[in-house]
Amino acid sequence: MDGPELAFADEDPDIAFEVFVRERGPALYRAAWALALDRADAEDLTQEALARTYRHWRRIRRADTDPFAYARRTLVNLRVDRWRRRSRESATLREYVSDRRVPEVASGVEDRAELAGLLDRLSLPQRRVVVLRYVLDLPVAVVARELRMSESNVKTTCSRALAVMRADRTPTILEES
Amino acid sequence: MKNVEQLLREVPAALPEPDLDPAAIRVRARRSRHRSALVVSAACTVLVAAVIVGALQLGDRTPTILRGTMDPSTSQLPTGSPSDESPALPVIVVEEPASVQIRMQARIEGVLEVSDDGCVGIQDVIGSFSLAAFPTGTTIGLEGDALVVTFPSGTGVPVGTQVVGGGGWYNDRAFAETLLPDDLPETCRSLPLVQFYLED
């Protein structure tokens, strides 16, 4: 969810940034996980996106730009960079291994593994749209603006992505039943 | 059984809280800035070496000067503008005629920006900010709400504009220091310095 505009302590950028990290960091992390499908990568991506946001913090605030929007765009672009450097299969595999090593947070692991598998089948443009639209719960118009797409293109991409995910889910259901 | 939309909304929301330490992130940001400066410095070293080798090989060949272009609509970054609390204009570095020995011939591309410390420079495509040394006669001023750098040719370029021009980085810090005004903020003084000009 985009959430209400945060009130920042403009006189101290460090304090304002701390508020921003506390309030918006978890949402960024959720989006990062859905893009990277790996908790360690997601944490790294989130920290990098936040670090880049902090580097431009004063200018972002001076220009009255929403820092969360800036961080979201940075995150998506970071993922694009990294996507080209590594295989999707290895990322998904690491997530399974990672989950099994941490039994205390194992609740929801099955759903998480299933969602990771479904997201892994999407193309990068489809995944970016789905993450912004559903994971961050942004309106179509905002997704379109942030990804520089038309609203109809966002809707079409979303629809096709969901169809792929639903289609890929069917064999799993049959196997389980 | 959850449907796909439910999975997308509920599964990420149920992830364990990430370990995000603002202090560590600030340190990471500062290190990243330092790394970017090192990369630019290394790239400049290679570039300067290539220019020197090229000059030696080409002798007196007449240099070509890149035409400066600008397209305000392509600006991707938040633009800096003076706040109500600080009416002073950003600092602009202008090369004195006697100090400029050559016009470097590299293609410089990026966004004309104002740094956090109020110095005008170029933000390149990888996000590194360099302090700009503009040709003699370049000025900065407000036109309406826009902060505009006016080149000697009379061309006004609003801050935040994507620019392409000629120039090059000053790799010799000692020489670069001679170009910088005494009242330049210390934080700007440590930035990479790039000569930047549009075609006259």
Side-chain angles (χ1 to χ4, degrees):
Chain A
M1 172 150 196
D2 204 10
E5 183 80 10
L6 294 174
F8 293 112
D10 284 334
E11 67 282 4
D12 189 333
D14 284 355
I15 292 175
F17 182 70
E18 283 193 27
V19 172
F20 176 70
V21 170
R22 194 171 58 242
E23 298 293 326
R24 297 288 189 248
L28 272 182
Y29 171 71
R30 291 196 286 274
W33 176 84
L35 289 165
L37 307 180
D38 176 277
R39 293 217 306 272
D41 275 357
E43 208 160 287
D44 191 44
L45 281 167
T46 308
Q47 289 187 8
E48 184 61 25
L50 288 168
R52 292 189 186 198
T53 304
Y54 177 72
R55 280 179 63 180
H56 300 289
W57 186 261
R58 288 184 190 174
R59 267 184 292 144
I60 291 168
R61 298 304 301 149
R62 216 161 39 208
D64 206 21
T65 303
D66 177 9
F68 189 39
Y70 186 90
R72 282 196 305 259
R73 283 196 296 272
T74 304
L75 179 74
V76 169
N77 288 329
L78 278 173
R79 183 56 203 163
V80 171
D81 293 339
R82 291 175 187 219
W83 185 269
R84 292 171 184 149
R85 292 185 213 144
R86 64 168 57 152
S87 70
R88 288 180 288 176
E89 288 75 14
S90 62
T92 308
L93 179 63
R94 275 198 308 279
E95 172 66 7
Y96 281 102
V97 171
S98 171
D99 281 334
R100 285 169 187 170
R101 282 178 185 166
V102 191
E104 66 273 19
V105 290
S107 61
V109 162
E110 284 181 13
D111 281 350
R112 197 185 309 157
E114 183 185 7
L115 180 59
L118 295 174
L119 285 169
D120 197 33
R121 287 165 177 78
L122 300 182
S123 68
L124 179 58
Q126 285 176 330
R127 195 188 299 191
R128 290 163 73 191
V129 170
V130 162
V131 166
L132 292 181
R133 180 77 184 94
Y134 290 101
V135 177
L136 290 178
D137 208 14
L138 296 175
V140 170
V142 175
V143 176
R145 191 171 64 238
E146 297 203 354
L147 295 180
R148 297 172 193 276
M149 298 166 72
S150 67
E151 290 188 26
S152 60
N153 197 358
V154 169
K155 288 176 187 169
T156 306
T157 306
C158 253
S159 171
R160 286 180 181 158
L162 294 179
V164 167
M165 294 172 79
R166 288 185 191 115
D168 282 342
R169 216 177 165 206
T170 310
T172 309
I173 294 167
L174 290 174
E175 281 168 20
E176 285 176 357
S177 61
Chain B
M1 168 75 67
K2 291 173 182 169
N3 63 33
V4 168
E5 289 91 333
Q6 278 179 307
L7 281 176
L8 283 165
R9 289 196 166 103
E10 293 175 9
V11 172
L15 285 168
E17 285 291 300
D19 179 20
L20 299 173
D21 176 11
I25 292 168
R26 285 199 297 270
V27 169
R28 182 175 178 146
R30 291 185 185 114
R31 281 186 187 154
S32 167
R33 181 175 292 179
H34 183 60
R35 271 201 307 274
S36 298
L38 288 176
V39 169
V40 169
S41 177
C44 291
T45 305
V46 172
L47 184 64
V48 168
V51 167
I52 291 170
V53 170
L56 289 172
Q57 289 176 344
L58 297 176
D60 292 328
R61 200 177 103 172
T62 305
T64 55
I65 297 177
L66 291 167
R67 175 178 290 277
T69 58
M70 56 184 181
D71 179 7
S73 64
T74 60
S75 177
Q76 307 267 326
L77 297 171
T79 57
S81 59
S83 66
D84 292 336
E85 298 80 55
S86 55
L89 289 171
V91 177
I92 188 170
V93 174
V94 177
E95 294 179 324
E96 296 301 322
S99 67
V100 182
Q101 296 170 10
I102 58 166
R103 272 193 160 186
M104 289 183 268
Q105 304 300 312
R107 175 188 165 96
I108 307 297
E109 185 170 0
V111 178
L112 196 65
E113 278 285 8
V114 178
S115 73
D116 293 343
D117 301 287
C119 298
V120 181
I122 305 288
Q123 181 103 30
D124 67 17
V125 289
I126 61 168
S128 295
F129 183 87
S130 296
L131 183 67
F134 294 102
T136 308
T138 306
T139 60
I140 187 164
L142 279 170
E143 288 184 14
D145 289 331
L147 199 56
V148 176
V149 174
T150 303
F151 287 80
S153 61
T155 304
V157 182
V159 167
T161 300
Q162 181 93 25
V163 290
V164 180
W169 277 269
Y170 286 104
N171 201 39
D172 182 343
R173 288 305 305 177
F175 179 71
E177 278 290 328
T178 67
L179 302 175
L180 302 177
D182 293 338
D183 57 349
L184 191 70
E186 277 307 310
T187 44
C188 297
R189 195 173 289 279
S190 61
L191 290 167
L193 182 67
V194 63
Q195 182 187 63
F196 181 82
Y197 56 85
L198 301 179
E199 187 185 34
D200 291 333

